[in-house]
């Protein structure tokens, strides 16, 4: 609606009351279900035989954040031995389903629930996996010694790398899984590769301290 007010030269000029915003239609934000065209999305995570018992023991710790916080339906299919995830009408985030699948997958790899649940809360966490033979071809006793160097006495070396790089490491036979941010995974991977190639633990520790201090200054 336009009114008139008196101008400085004695004439009149239009004065706008209200604007185009009042005439524009206002819509509610689209829900996740509407963004997907009303389709339900699924994810399935295979349960290895050796993780079946831990899954039963920690089921409620996995179920609670997935169902109550992320609004994702979750169930264990006993016939196919897979954990099945499904979106709901009230799922708030389009990436919630994939986050939950990554969380369950991390537990299946051997990470503790307390560590794996960080994948639901933070966006910059990843899991990287590699095998010892990808770094150096080792067999028999040489492979066993390499795995021993990675763990250290009582897990001392592994814990030192985890604390220095703020990552979590799982050594499953000849396969290694690292959970952390991109830059921290790179530092931890370099330290593990040095140990596989035969570098002394003391040399790896000193290099870790230097790199960790640089990371602390950077952030």
């Amino acid at each position: 609606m336009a009114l008139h007010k008196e101008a400085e030269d004695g004439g009149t000029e239009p004065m706008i009351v209200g604007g185009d915003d009042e005439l524009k239609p206002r819509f509610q934000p689209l829900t996740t279900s509407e963004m997907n065209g009303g389709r339900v999305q699924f994810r399935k995570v295979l349960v290895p035989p050796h993780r079946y018992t831990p899954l039963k023991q920690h089921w409620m710790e996995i179920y609670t954040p997935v169902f109550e916080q992320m609004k994702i339906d979750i169930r264990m299919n006993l016939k196919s031995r897979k954990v099945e995830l499904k979106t709901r009408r009230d799922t708030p985030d389009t990436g919630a389903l994939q986050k939950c699948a990554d969380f369950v997958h991390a537990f299946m790899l051997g990470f503790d629930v307390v560590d794996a649940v960080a994948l639901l809360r933070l966006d910059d966490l990843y899991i990287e996996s590699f095998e010892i033979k990808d770094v150096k071809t080792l067999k028999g006793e040489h492979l066993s010694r390499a795995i021993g160097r990675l763990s250290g006495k009582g897990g001392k070396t592994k814990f030192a790398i985890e604390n220095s790089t703020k990552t979590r490491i799982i050594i499953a036979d000849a396969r290694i899984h690292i959970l952390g941010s991109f830059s921290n995974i790179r530092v931890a991977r370099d330290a593990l590769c040095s140990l596989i190639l035969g570098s002394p633990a003391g040399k790896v520790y000193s290099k870790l301290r230097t790199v960790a201090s640089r990371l602390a200054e950077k952030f």
Side-chain angles (χ1 to χ4, degrees), residues 14-208:
M15 180 174 65
I16 304 299
V17 177
D20 294 339
D21 291 340
E22 295 183 358
L23 302 177
K24 291 180 179 178
R26 296 183 180 180
F27 299 101
Q28 294 295 327
L30 291 174
T31 63
T32 304
S33 177
E34 291 171 339
M35 289 182 184
N36 296 328
R39 296 189 304 273
V40 177
Q41 293 185 322
F42 296 90
R43 292 288 190 279
K44 295 181 181 181
V45 181
L46 180 65
V47 181
H50 68 283
R51 297 299 291 173
Y52 193 68
T53 300
L55 179 63
K56 290 169 63 178
Q57 295 173 346
H58 298 280
W59 176 252
M60 289 308 300
E61 299 174 47
I62 296 172
Y63 173 86
T64 302
V66 171
F67 182 80
E68 296 183 358
Q69 298 174 17
M70 305 300 289
K71 309 295 183 184
I72 296 290
D73 286 338
I74 178 173
R75 73 174 184 179
M76 175 64 191
N77 191 324
L78 296 176
K79 290 184 178 180
S80 62
R81 289 287 183 100
K82 292 180 180 179
V83 175
E84 299 178 347
L85 304 160
K86 184 185 75 169
T87 55
R88 292 154 43 183
R89 294 183 65 87
D90 59 342
T91 302
D93 184 12
T94 54
L97 181 63
Q98 187 59 48
K99 283 184 178 181
C100 292
D102 292 341
F103 163 57
V104 177
H105 179 63
F107 178 78
M108 298 308 167
L109 292 178
F111 292 99
D112 294 335
V113 177
V114 179
D115 299 328
V117 78
L119 289 165
L120 300 179
R121 300 170 181 167
L122 302 174
D123 293 330
D124 60 342
L125 291 185
Y126 308 93
I127 296 176
E128 181 171 328
S129 302
F130 66 95
E131 295 188 15
I132 292 178
K133 67 179 182 180
D134 297 335
V135 181
K136 187 177 182 181
T137 303
L138 298 172
K139 295 181 181 179
E141 294 182 359
H142 297 289
L143 178 61
S144 301
R145 282 196 291 269
I147 296 173
R149 284 197 302 272
L150 295 177
S151 298
K153 186 177 181 179
K156 178 181 176 182
T157 303
K158 182 173 80 76
F159 294 145
I161 296 174
E162 288 180 339
N163 294 333
S164 300
T165 59
K166 297 181 181 178
T167 58
R168 287 294 179 266
I169 301 170
I170 295 294
I171 302 174
D173 197 11
R175 193 163 182 81
I176 301 167
H177 311 286
I178 309 174
L179 169 65
S181 64
F182 181 78
S183 57
N184 290 341
I185 286 176
R186 183 179 60 187
V187 176
R189 186 184 63 231
D190 290 345
L192 292 170
C193 290
S194 297
L195 290 170
I196 293 172
L197 293 173
S199 295
K203 185 176 181 180
V204 175
Y205 289 159
S206 60
K207 186 177 179 180
L208 267 179

Side-chain angles (χ1 to χ4, degrees), residues 204-218:
V204 175
Y205 289 159
S206 60
K207 186 177 179 180
L208 267 179
R209 281 193 293 268
T210 304
V211 176
S213 61
R214 288 178 183 173
L215 285 175
E217 292 175 359
K218 182 177 180 181

